[in-house]
Every structure is written in C-alpha cells, then in structure tokens.
Amino acid sequence: MNHPKQLYLGERFDDLEKLYMKLPPDIKDREIDIICRSARKLMEQCDENYIKRDEELAYVGYMKLINLVQVIRKNKDYARKKEAITRLLGTQSDFNRIFEKLSKLKNSLEARYEERARQRGGSATLSRAVELERASNGKQPVVVGKEAPMVVPIASGQKQSVTATELHAMINDSRVSMLIMDCRPAKDYETSHLRYAYLVNVPEHLLVAGMTAGKINHALPPESRTLWSNRMVKEQVVLMDWNTSGVPVKDTPLYILNYTLCHYDQDIEDTKIIRLDGGYESFVLHYPASCTNPSYRPPTVLDAMGDNIDDIEYPNISDIPMKEESFTKPGFKPTIDRNSKVAAVTLYEARKKPLEDILVEHEQILDKSKQNALEIINTETELKNLEQQQPLEPGLDETQESLLYEVMQLKDRQRDYEAEKARILEEEQSYKQLEQEQKERGEQISSEQAEQLEREAYERRLRDKEREQRELEEKCQRLARERETKLALAREQKRHLKENNVPEPVKRAYPEDDQRSGPYAGNATPARMPLFDRSAKPLADHNHNVRTRDLDVVQRDFAPVYGSVGRGLTGLKNLGNTCYMNSILQCLSNTHFLNEFFHDPSFKMHLNRNNKTQGKIGEEVAAVIKALWTGQYKCIASKNLRYVVGQYERQFGGIEQQDSHEFLTILMDWLHSDLQTKQMQISTSLDQLPPSEKAWIEHFKGKDSYISELFYGQIKSTVKCTRCHKESATYESFSNLSLELPQDSNICYLENCLDMYFNGEEVRGWHCPKCKSNQDAIKKLDISRLPSILVVHFKRFYADPDTMATVYRKKQTLVKFPLSELNMTRYLARTEVNRNKRLTTFRYHLYGVSNHYGSMESGHYTAFCLNNIHQKWFKFDDYNVSSIDASDVQASAAYILFYSCLPDRPQSDVR
C-alpha cells in the first residue's frame, strides 16, 4: 500500500479551512447545470486524490464539494431538477461514504500535523480536538477479553427518544452516523457540553415560532454552520435541551427545533429525528467523564408565576387596573413637588441643563416647522400653476395627484410639529412656574445675571421665529382656502352638468372631489367617478386574459419600469386608488421571515388547494414579493394580485379607495388558509390540554400554517364577579391588535393605548355561574400567546356622535411609539408567562409602518419600512421610494405598526 503524500498545504489542520471555504464570489448567480458539472468534476478529482493518498488535497476538495452541494440545494431550480442532480452527483448514501472518508482524513491529518510539530520540537500533547475526534470514533483502549458493544441506529418509526445510556453507546460506536443538536443557551453550552465531534449548539434564543432551517443557518456563528450542514448527510439527528423528559411542551425550544426540522427543512427528508430523554442533565449525571465541566449546573430562576400557579388570574379584584387610569399617567409634563423648598431647589438645580435643552429643542422644532411650511407653499403654488394649464398635457393628472399627496403629507407633518411645540411649551411653563414660585419665596436660584440675560436673548429669538412661523401658516391657510373655493365651484359645475345631462369636460378637479377616497369608502357619500384611474383599461384587458386561462400557467404582467435599484427598494404602481394595498404589501415584503419563506421554491409544497382561495392568494403575494426584491425594477404593477383578490372580495378589485387595516386583516386570513396544511402535534386528548391550548387548536381546526406561526397570537378574556369573585376565562385568536386613541389629546404614548386595551372595564348584568344571577363584574384582557410578529392598529376613524347622519372623522393624535425595545411582558396573562418566555427573551423592534394622510373624504397611504439589507428606513409612496431618517418614522399619520421579536437583524444589533 502506498504511503500518504508528504504534507505541503499547511502547517496545521486549521489552515485547510481557509482553502475549502473559498468559493467563487459569483457562484450563486451561475446556472445550476454549470454548478453541478463543476461539482461532478470536483468529485472525480477528489476520488483520484484519495486513491493517490494526497490526504490534504482530498480533504480540501471533499469539503469544497460539500459547500458546493449547499449552494446547489439553495438554488431556485433545485426542486425542479432534483432528480437529474441526484443522478449526476449521487444519492445520500453516496454522500455518507464521502463523510466517512472525510472523518478518516481528518483523523489522519490531525495526527500527522501533530507528529510533525512534535518532530520539530513542538508540544507533545495532542490537541483536545484530536482527542475528542478519536474518542467519538471509537478509538478507545482495547480491553482484553471484552467485546465492544454494538449499537444499532434507532429508527424513528420505532422510537422517538433515547436514554443517556443508549446515546453514550452510540457516541462510542463509529458505525453510527449521527449529529447532536444542543438547544440550550449559548452561555450554558460554552460552560459545559458533550465531548463529541458532531455536536452543534442551536441557541434557544433562535428557536421561536416562524424560524426556518435556512434562517438558523444564517444566524449561527461561522464555526457552527459546517456542523449544522451535517444534518443533510447524517442518518439521524439527536435533539436535547437541559432536562426535558417525554414529549416536549409546545413552544419550548426543543419543540420548535423539532418542528422546524420536520416541517421547514427540505434537506433532511429521510433523516431520523430523535430526542435525548432527560436532556443534558441526565447525561451528565450518568457519564460525567464524557462531558466538559460536569459539575456545572445552570442558575436557578425563581419564577413566582411558575408551572404550579392555579387558574386564578386575579386573586384580588383590586389588583385589576381600570381603563379610566390608562391616560392619567404622567406624560410629558414634569412631576414637581412644590411642598418642599429644599426639594424644589434641588430639582431646579438638577434640571437647569435640561431646561436649556428644551429651549434648544424648541428652536429646532420651529426651524423644521418653518421649512415644512415653505415646502407647503411651494407645492401649493406648483399645483396652482398646473391647474391653469389648458388643456391638460399628458401626464399632468399623475403629477397633480402626486403633488396633492405631497401636500397631505406635509400638512400632517406640520400638525405633528404643532403638537411637539405645544408639548415643549408646556414643559417650559412648568419650569418657569417653579422658578417664579421660588423667587416669591425669596430664593435666589439664578445666581448669575449673565445666564439670565443669555436666556432672555434666546427667548427673544424664539419669539421672532414664532412670528415668522405664524406668517407662513397664514399664507398656507390662504392658499388652502383658495383651493377649497375652486373645488366648491368645480363641484357645483359638476352638479349642474349632471342635472342638465351635459357631458362632463375632460378637465378634472383635484382628488378631493372623489368623496369615496377615504379609508372607509363604504361609509362615505355615494360613489363618483374616480379622478386618477390610470389603470382601468389595462386592468380590464388583463382580467379578460386571466379569465380565459388558468392563473397557474398565465405569465404574470408586472408591467415593470426597469432600473437598477437596491434589493427591496422597488415601488408599486397605483392601479387606481390602490395605495392602501401597496402600503400593506410593502410592509409584508419587508417582513424578513415571510420574505424568506416566499423566496424558497418549496413554499408551494405547503399550499392548500382545497380551500376557498385554492392557494392563489399565497401564490400571487409570493410573486409580488419576489419581484420587489430582484433589484431590477424601479416599480412594478400588482395586476394579477388585485384581480385574484377582487374575485374573493369584490371591494378590493375595484378602483375605489379602501381601508388598509381591513385589507390586511382579510389578507392574513386568506394567507393562513392558503398555507394551512400542517397537522398540529397533539400529545394527548383535547380535554386534557390547558384551556388556552385547547382553544388554539379548535380555532385553527387542528392545522397550523406559517402565517399562524408568525402573525397570530391569543387573547385571554377574564370576567370576575364583584360579589363572589368567581372568575371565568375565554380565549380568542388575533392577527393584529386594534387600539383606541384618546378622544381629546394631540399626543400620547403607545403604552397608554396598550393600557386602554388591556385594562379592566365594568360589565353590568353578567350572569355569574356561581351566584346563579346577574351581577356586576369586571372584564380584563391579557395576552395568553404572543405572536412573533406583532401588528398594532390605531383606531383613528370614528363616527361623529354630534352629527345627525353618520359622519366619520379622523383622530390626528401623534402617538409616540418605540422603534426598538418594546416590552410586552406586562400585558401577559399571569398563568401564561412560562409559555411565552421564548418571545420575551428579546424585545420587539419596529420594521414597518402603514401611514394614512389626509381625512375621511380624501386620503392617501404610504409605508415606512426598515430594509434588512441596508439597515435603513425607506419611504414607499406608491412607485416612489426614498430613504428617510429614523427620527421621521414617528408621525401622526402612523396607522398600522409592524413589530418583530425575531432575530432577523445582524447579530451585532440583537441584544
């Protein structure tokens, strides 16, 4: 037998990694056939090098081959050409033999590198990695007279778990092809883990509902990804956490990891998934020598709301906060204790600098407000000039509409500046009042006259700017009145023409003339001809084509405007008042996990063809999202999607403005139904399950979908009798929370709105099952299941009670909401805290906002979205896409907020 070729590629085994990790940078963009031919050629070279005993080159080649296979599996054409690829590259059994060769090569190379280092005078101690690898492959000292036990791989159909004794035997049998996944926290894993070469840590913070195998791979550190990829070629994967015995509880890390591998990992279709019964705790007790740091025990977490808590949510009725307390918390106004002179002086001295900051902030707001007012005047003037052009030139309607929408947005921003200015003035007055009271008591607070003079000069400058601002606002109001007068005249002329049956002129007025362009078109005045219907005729032709052919085979017409833009920065054309739809689609497009799911061709395997919409909504939404992320188009048209949506909900297929919240709610139900193909795993009978779990299963009829895992949560409604304190609870699922806004407030916090939703309210005449009669009670809502994606809707539109007919108004309240670190723990039901621990590990971060500008009579929708690639905020205004500053995201136009607690940001940003 020939001897191994002399070592020449590296000085140590780790040097080889640098060689096989280098793939061509454009490999992912190449045709799959070309990649496969390269892989086949590489495989033949590796086999030749293996026979020639060139161990270094063979090992590097085989590892590079495994990396190429991963690229092939992720290619968009892989599913379609899987059979041909298998014939070319071989089956899983063939790759198992390659992994056996890799294992032998690794053992041999590490030993040879160590030997060479020893000969050169290096350390005689074998590296820990070599020892572990040899131990894992059964290279233990031979005991004379004893026979090594033989372990038979466990078939998942026969057994779903192994004991610590069985796993120990499997680890020490080189014939067992196995990968172990440890889903304990990274800190616990680093402190103590199994001594086994094919062991990978999948940290529990990654294991939340909606996670996919691809996303886990992306989130793992580079050194773990190679081990994670071994799941594709190993015959079995063993899962373990700290101490789970029996069937894992739903929503725990072990359950989610098992669920993800079974349902969202197409690469391990034939791999057996088994669990270690009793977890790492059981193994370390039986075999401490096979573990690093066997004395380690994770810190005990004392949870007063643990598993032993009973079903009573509120033992004391006085513990329930009431709705009327929601907006009574201290807001922007500083809390000042005027009963103590010493406290007052100390407080003032401590806040002297913040007072100066308030003055600076006041000046900044005035500068922004002035600039915004100038933009309004310029835009209004441009609109006026357009209107005077006779006749209208081609494209002027579209320009006019764009300018009108810009005026709406500028006016909403001006209203926000006014609210901020009012808040700052309130703070200033509070501090000045404190100063005056202290002066009246004879206290000399402002010791230096120079400081006082400087502040007075600063305030004079502010007064001058406020005067300029008032003058600009008066001019804006004058221009707005002129436009309203012209609109009124245009409406009167239109009415006169209709009464006399005279055809209307081609020239049209502003979009405000369309009284049904508000968010609730069904509640507005009778329908009129829309002003800017740029797509009615193309849509009619398109619909005719769709009707004559099956949607599955029709070529989608996105009518793209070509242009190289960043991925995810493509706009959507307005197909005639479809800005409400465009706003929601952009927010869903920037839902990173949903985007990733729809980009995977295997998502079609989850389509449900037996429901009302036959999977067509899911297909069309996926097609739009994929088109938005090609980076090849400046804008596209979602014609197919609008047509399909209109087939199942007629109001969304027309050219009238609709409510984006109503569209989103219905769309979520459609998408869930289109993807509802996975049977829920139920370990026991329904009657033995907790009430919340039973209600969840019954609501979804025993079938999950990727949409329900991402977007749906559950509310617990508790009603407590004020007489006998009997408690009754019911459960209801939700895809978004609709929050009330204060009636008479220009500014508030998201926390106030959440309090208003979840705080208690009195219920009259509730039939108490214990008292057997109608009693007064208190109803309280809590969250029993947090969603991975939390969608929050503000109820901005309401029926005006002071009008005889039903007239809807809009609340322009500026809601202060966090862009990150939204903590929902305080709204969790006391009895449901443990179930939601995975989702409270990380706080929610904002990634999308659907905005509504204008009023009920005339409105426009846009979206603000955080692009995951560029990590910047962008404004999506139909076909226009532009970057915005994060400070501009908070606005009174915010209508729907999209929050995520999933780790879809770069790891450096996740805390």
Side-chain angles (χ1 to χ4, degrees):
M1 184 176 179
N2 59 334
H3 294 285
K5 188 173 181 178
Q6 189 174 357
L7 301 174
Y8 64 101
L9 285 181
E11 292 298 319
R12 54 179 186 169
F13 183 76
D14 292 342
D15 292 342
L16 302 182
E17 181 179 359
K18 303 173 185 176
L19 300 176
Y20 65 73
M21 291 302 290
K22 290 181 179 179
L23 291 176
D26 62 337
I27 188 70
K28 294 181 181 179
D29 300 325
R30 296 180 184 177
E31 294 291 332
I32 193 170
D33 295 333
I34 297 175
I35 304 175
C36 288
R37 287 197 293 270
S38 299
R40 180 63 192 176
K41 186 176 180 181
L42 179 61
M43 184 185 295
E44 293 170 353
Q45 292 175 350
C46 293
D47 291 339
E48 185 178 346
N49 291 325
Y50 186 82
I51 294 172
K52 291 180 179 180
R53 298 296 303 277
D54 189 343
E55 294 184 341
E56 286 178 311
L57 204 56
Y59 181 83
V60 170
Y62 280 132
M63 288 301 296
K64 188 174 288 187
L65 174 66
I66 297 302
N67 290 336
L68 267 181
V69 170
Q70 291 187 55
V71 174
I72 292 170
R73 286 174 181 264
K74 293 178 181 178
N75 191 283
K76 61 182 180 180
D77 296 324
Y78 173 69
R80 182 166 55 87
K81 298 186 177 182
K82 186 175 181 179
E83 187 175 344
I85 294 170
T86 302
R87 287 198 300 268
L88 183 65
L89 299 181
T91 64
Q92 183 168 324
S93 299
D94 297 322
F95 276 90
N96 285 342
R97 286 191 287 272
I98 291 177
F99 266 76
E100 289 175 5
K101 292 178 182 179
L102 280 170
S103 180
K104 293 177 182 178
L105 288 169
K106 183 179 180 183
N107 289 333
S108 175
L109 286 169
E110 285 187 329
R112 291 175 64 193
Y113 280 120
E114 291 286 344
E115 179 63 27
R116 186 172 68 177
R118 189 182 299 115
Q119 291 174 358
R120 292 179 179 178
S123 172
T125 304
L126 284 174
S127 68
R128 175 172 166 274
V130 176
E131 293 176 356
L132 292 178
E133 181 65 21
R134 289 181 176 177
S136 68
N137 285 279
K139 296 188 177 181
Q140 303 292 340
V142 178
V143 181
V144 179
K146 291 192 178 181
E147 194 171 346
M150 179 177 178
V151 179
V152 180
I154 297 171
S156 60
Q158 300 171 349
K159 197 173 182 181
Q160 293 183 342
S161 64
V162 293
T163 64
T165 303
E166 290 170 329
L167 180 62
H168 184 260
M170 293 164 67
I171 288 175
N172 290 294
D173 190 331
S174 60
R175 290 166 291 185
V176 175
S177 175
M178 174 179 62
L179 172 67
I180 301 176
M181 295 185 183
D182 188 333
C183 58
R184 294 177 297 143
K187 182 180 179 181
D188 291 341
Y189 175 83
E190 291 168 3
T191 307
S192 179
H193 56 261
L194 293 176
R195 295 179 183 273
Y196 184 60
Y198 294 102
L199 172 71
V200 61
N201 176 226
V202 185
E204 68 172 21
H205 75 265
L206 296 179
L207 302 175
V208 292
M211 184 56 89
T212 62
K215 194 60 191 171
I216 290 176
N217 179 72
H218 177 73
L220 288 173
E223 59 271 17
S224 298
R225 291 176 191 167
T226 303
L227 284 168
W228 169 259
S229 66
N230 275 268
R231 77 195 189 286
M232 297 185 290
V233 292
K234 293 296 183 181
E235 293 179 3
Q236 50 199 350
V237 174
V238 180
L239 313 180
M240 71 174 186
D241 60 1
W242 177 245
N243 59 4
T244 293
S245 297
V247 179
V249 178
K250 188 174 175 63
D251 296 330
T252 59
L254 192 65
Y255 175 92
I256 293 174
L257 179 57
N258 183 83
Y259 191 85
T260 301
L261 293 174
C262 292
H263 292 92
Y264 296 117
D265 192 354
Q266 304 301 320
D267 295 330
I268 60 168
E269 296 175 0
D270 302 322
T271 305
K272 304 176 183 72
I273 309 295
I274 53 181
R275 301 182 302 272
L276 172 60
D277 194 53
Y280 184 68
E281 183 179 44
S282 174
F283 192 92
V284 77
L285 288 174
H286 285 82
Y287 303 100
S290 297
C291 304
T292 65
N293 191 10
S295 61
Y296 174 73
R297 294 291 181 274
T300 303
V301 179
L302 298 176
D303 188 358
M305 304 177 183
D307 295 329
N308 297 324
I309 193 167
D310 55 26
D311 292 333
I312 301 299
E313 192 68 54
Y314 296 98
N316 298 316
I317 203 165
S318 58
D319 293 340
I320 303 177
M322 302 302 289
K323 288 190 182 294
E324 52 265 26
E325 302 171 11
S326 304
F327 293 98
T328 57
K329 295 182 179 180
F332 292 104
K333 196 170 183 177
T335 303
I336 301 172
D337 179 13
R338 293 186 172 86
N339 297 323
S340 167
K341 290 184 179 181
V342 176
V345 174
T346 304
L347 180 66
Y348 182 84
E349 290 296 337
R351 295 191 176 181
K352 195 186 319 183
K353 186 64 171 74
L355 178 56
E356 296 172 2
D357 292 342
I358 291 173
L359 292 173
V360 172
E361 187 180 1
H362 189 170
E363 185 175 27
Q364 291 173 346
I365 288 292
L366 286 174
D367 289 339
K368 290 180 180 179
S369 181
K370 177 182 177 181
Q371 182 61 35
N372 194 71
L374 289 171
E375 291 182 23
I376 293 175
I377 293 171
N378 292 336
T379 309
E380 290 274 20
T381 304
E382 195 172 347
L383 268 172
K384 190 175 180 180
N385 294 337
L386 272 179
E387 187 186 32
Q388 293 172 352
Q389 295 188 34
Q390 295 286 347
L392 281 176
E393 298 175 5
L396 285 185
D397 266 7
E398 188 171 316
T399 305
Q400 186 177 337
E401 180 188 43
S402 178
L403 290 173
L404 276 167
Y405 291 160
E406 186 177 345
V407 169
M408 289 181 190
Q409 296 173 48
L410 290 171
K411 286 186 175 180
D412 272 37
R413 189 185 302 169
Q414 194 70 17
R415 191 179 298 108
D416 293 347
Y417 289 149
E418 292 300 319
E420 289 281 11
K421 190 165 64 173
R423 186 260 302 175
I424 293 171
L425 288 172
E426 190 176 358
E427 287 191 6
E428 284 184 31
Q429 292 302 319
S430 297
Y431 286 119
K432 289 178 180 179
Q433 185 178 351
L434 172 63
E435 183 180 44
Q436 184 61 34
E437 290 176 1
Q438 291 170 334
K439 284 184 177 180
E440 290 174 358
R441 291 196 295 265
E443 300 169 5
Q444 186 64 29
I445 295 178
S446 186
S447 57
E448 298 184 12
Q449 189 68 23
E451 290 183 7
Q452 183 68 24
L453 292 173
E454 184 179 351
R455 192 201 302 174
E456 290 175 357
Y458 202 103
E459 291 176 347
R460 281 196 300 272
R461 188 162 73 250
L462 287 179
R463 286 194 294 270
D464 292 339
K465 289 192 174 185
E466 286 174 348
R467 188 187 69 254
E468 293 177 8
Q469 175 64 25
R470 284 194 297 272
E471 293 173 355
L472 288 173
E473 287 177 358
E474 289 173 1
K475 187 173 182 179
C476 290
Q477 292 170 3
R478 186 173 66 255
L479 288 171
R481 284 195 299 270
E482 291 176 2
R483 185 154 51 87
E484 285 298 324
T485 301
K486 291 179 180 179
L487 281 172
L489 180 61
R491 293 190 186 104
E492 180 63 26
Q493 290 175 346
K494 189 174 184 180
R495 184 186 62 80
H496 178 72
L497 289 170
K498 284 185 176 180
E499 289 175 354
N500 293 278
N501 295 320
V502 179
E504 295 183 24
V506 176
K507 171 95 180 191
R508 292 179 289 186
Y510 293 105
E512 281 89 336
D513 193 42
D514 180 10
Q515 298 297 316
R516 294 178 61 85
S517 62
Y520 290 93
N523 298 315
T525 53
R528 299 186 182 181
M529 184 66 68
L531 265 68
F532 301 103
D533 180 17
R534 297 185 298 275
S535 60
K537 187 171 181 179
L539 182 63
D541 292 341
H542 164 71
N543 288 349
H544 175 73
N545 292 335
V546 173
R547 290 189 186 95
T548 59
R549 292 180 291 173
D550 184 10
L551 271 172
D552 291 336
V553 298
V554 70
Q555 181 69 32
R556 291 185 180 89
D557 178 19
F558 287 119
V561 175
Y562 287 90
S564 180
V565 296
R567 293 187 62 209
L569 302 182
T570 296
L572 285 165
K573 295 181 181 180
N574 194 316
L575 303 178
N577 286 324
T578 57
C579 55
Y580 71 93
M581 188 181 296
N582 293 347
S583 172
I584 295 301
L585 288 174
Q586 292 291 5
C587 289
L588 293 181
S589 171
N590 283 276
T591 303
H592 188 63
F593 272 52
L594 184 66
N595 186 327
E596 183 186 63
F597 176 78
F598 280 139
H599 268 82
D600 188 340
S602 64
F603 93 88
K604 291 189 177 181
M605 297 172 60
H606 300 285
L607 287 174
N608 178 15
R609 300 297 187 181
N610 300 319
N611 66 331
K612 175 185 175 182
T613 53
Q614 302 175 343
K616 292 179 181 178
I617 301 292
E619 280 187 309
E620 295 307 321
V621 170
V624 170
I625 289 178
K626 285 189 282 189
L628 290 174
W629 283 81
T630 62
Q632 300 174 2
Y633 314 127
K634 290 183 179 179
C635 63
I636 62 171
S638 55
K639 295 180 180 180
N640 286 70
L641 175 61
R642 190 177 74 157
Y643 169 73
V644 175
V645 164
Q647 296 305 294
Y648 302 107
E649 196 69 40
R650 185 172 297 177
Q651 68 189 65
F652 298 135
I655 51 177
E656 295 174 348
Q657 184 65 277
Q658 302 295 334
D659 179 26
S660 69
H661 174 244
E662 184 179 358
F663 173 71
L664 172 65
T665 303
I666 295 175
L667 182 64
M668 283 293 103
D669 287 342
W670 279 338
L671 289 174
H672 162 69
S673 180
D674 273 1
L675 298 168
Q676 191 180 17
T677 56
K678 299 190 299 298
Q679 200 69 34
M680 291 183 177
Q681 297 179 5
I682 306 173
S683 58
T684 183
S685 66
L686 278 177
D687 294 335
Q688 295 177 331
L689 291 173
S692 59
E693 188 68 24
K694 181 181 178 181
W696 181 265
I697 293 172
E698 289 177 342
H699 176 82
F700 292 111
K701 299 178 182 178
K703 285 189 176 182
D704 266 330
S705 74
Y706 193 66
I707 299 300
S708 65
E709 291 171 14
L710 276 182
F711 289 92
Y712 280 77
Q714 189 182 55
I715 292 290
K716 179 179 183 180
S717 176
T718 305
V719 182
K720 195 174 187 72
C721 178
T722 57
R723 180 185 176 190
C724 70
H725 292 190
K726 167 68 178 176
E727 210 170 82
S728 176
T730 56
Y731 298 86
E732 184 178 354
S733 299
F734 69 91
S735 62
N736 60 78
L737 297 177
S738 288
L739 307 183
E740 295 282 355
L741 295 177
Q743 189 66 39
D744 301 313
S745 178
N746 292 326
I747 193 167
C748 72
Y749 292 106
L750 175 58
E751 181 186 20
N752 300 134
C753 303
L754 288 168
D755 289 344
M756 184 71 175
Y757 185 86
F758 288 108
N759 284 358
E761 61 179 330
E762 294 182 358
V763 177
R764 304 289 184 185
W766 177 67
H767 185 79
C768 176
K770 186 175 181 180
C771 298
K772 306 296 184 183
S773 61
N774 292 342
Q775 299 291 335
D776 289 345
I778 293 180
K779 179 182 177 181
K780 172 77 167 65
L781 300 181
D782 296 282
I783 296 178
S784 56
R785 182 190 294 264
L786 277 167
S788 298
I789 305 293
L790 177 65
V791 181
V792 177
H793 160 244
F794 296 129
K795 294 183 178 180
R796 292 197 175 274
F797 303 98
Y798 65 99
D800 191 344
D802 298 328
T803 57
M804 295 293 291
T806 303
V807 178
Y808 282 83
R809 308 292 188 194
K810 179 183 177 183
K811 293 179 181 178
Q812 303 284 3
T813 309
L814 171 60
V815 182
K816 289 285 188 176
F817 48 84
L819 271 62
S820 62
E821 300 296 319
L822 173 62
N823 186 358
M824 294 295 291
T825 308
R826 58 180 293 200
Y827 304 109
L828 282 174
R830 212 168 61 103
T831 55
E832 305 290 341
V833 169
N834 281 342
R835 190 236 295 271
N836 292 276
K837 278 185 177 178
R838 297 285 67 76
L839 294 180
T840 54
T841 303
F842 293 102
R843 303 293 186 253
Y844 286 89
H845 64 274
L846 186 76
Y847 70 88
V849 182
S850 174
N851 301 300
H852 180 269
Y853 298 93
S855 62
M856 274 299 304
E857 291 74 26
S858 176
H860 179 58
Y861 288 95
T862 68
F864 295 157
C865 297
L866 178 63
N867 184 283
N868 188 264
I869 295 178
H870 299 88
Q871 281 299 301
K872 287 177 61 179
W873 283 91
F874 289 87
K875 174 185 174 183
F876 296 86
D877 187 352
D878 288 338
Y879 58 85
N880 290 317
V881 180
S882 57
S883 63
I884 61 170
D885 191 80
S887 62
D888 293 330
V889 174
Q890 284 186 351
S892 62
Y895 188 42
I896 306 174
L897 309 179
F898 290 77
Y899 280 98
S900 171
C901 70
L902 296 168
D904 54 12
R905 291 176 292 173
Q907 289 297 301
S908 59
D909 293 344
V910 178
R911 291 174 288 178

